[in-house]
């Protein structure tokens, strides 16, 4: 599936701490080219990556975008957002 491939690429950027590259990739695939729609896992990767990179404001901003994609945060999303808020 295309979403699985995109999430694997996002995961790779995020696991290497390349938050900005992950963000650019997300924007290009999901917003500019609109190849496919993101799923909750796509957004969770970004929320968590920015949290781990100590970019708390960006992490919360990504969390707040979840609803704009017609998605609902899951348990993992809320846990990461709570960590970012502290």
């Amino acid at each position: 599936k295309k979403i699985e491939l995109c999430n694997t690429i996002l995961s790779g950027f995020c696991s290497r701490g390349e938050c900005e590259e992950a963000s650019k990739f997300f924007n290009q695939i999901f917003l500019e080219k609109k190849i496919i729609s993101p799923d909750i896992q796509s957004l969770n990767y970004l929320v968590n990556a920015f949290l781990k990179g100590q970019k708390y404001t960006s992490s919360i901003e990504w969390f707040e975008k979840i609803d704009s994609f017609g998605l609902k945060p899951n348990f993992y999303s809320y846990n990461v957002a709570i960590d970012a808020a502290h």
Side-chain angles (χ1 to χ4, degrees):
K1 289 181 169 180
K2 290 181 184 178
I3 189 66
E4 292 171 356
L5 175 60
C6 289
N7 284 344
T8 299
I9 294 168
L10 275 174
S11 175
F13 282 129
C14 295
S15 67
R16 291 190 306 275
E18 297 175 5
C19 301
E20 298 303 325
E21 291 300 319
S23 182
K24 287 177 190 174
F25 176 78
F26 183 97
N27 288 333
Q28 185 177 36
I29 296 299
F30 298 116
L31 299 177
E32 294 169 16
K33 294 184 179 180
K34 297 181 181 180
I35 295 172
I36 55 172
S37 297
D39 63 10
I40 190 61
Q41 187 174 3
S42 310
L43 278 294
N44 283 345
Y45 280 130
L46 289 164
V47 172
N48 192 44
F50 280 97
L51 172 66
K52 287 183 177 181
Q54 299 181 342
K55 297 178 180 182
Y56 306 114
T57 302
S58 295
S59 180
I60 293 296
E61 288 171 357
W62 278 105
F63 177 81
E64 291 173 345
K65 291 179 184 179
I66 290 172
D67 190 52
S68 69
F69 290 101
L71 301 171
K72 300 284 184 207
N74 59 18
F75 183 77
Y76 182 81
S77 310
Y78 284 115
N79 279 336
V80 174
I82 289 168
D83 287 345
H86 285 111

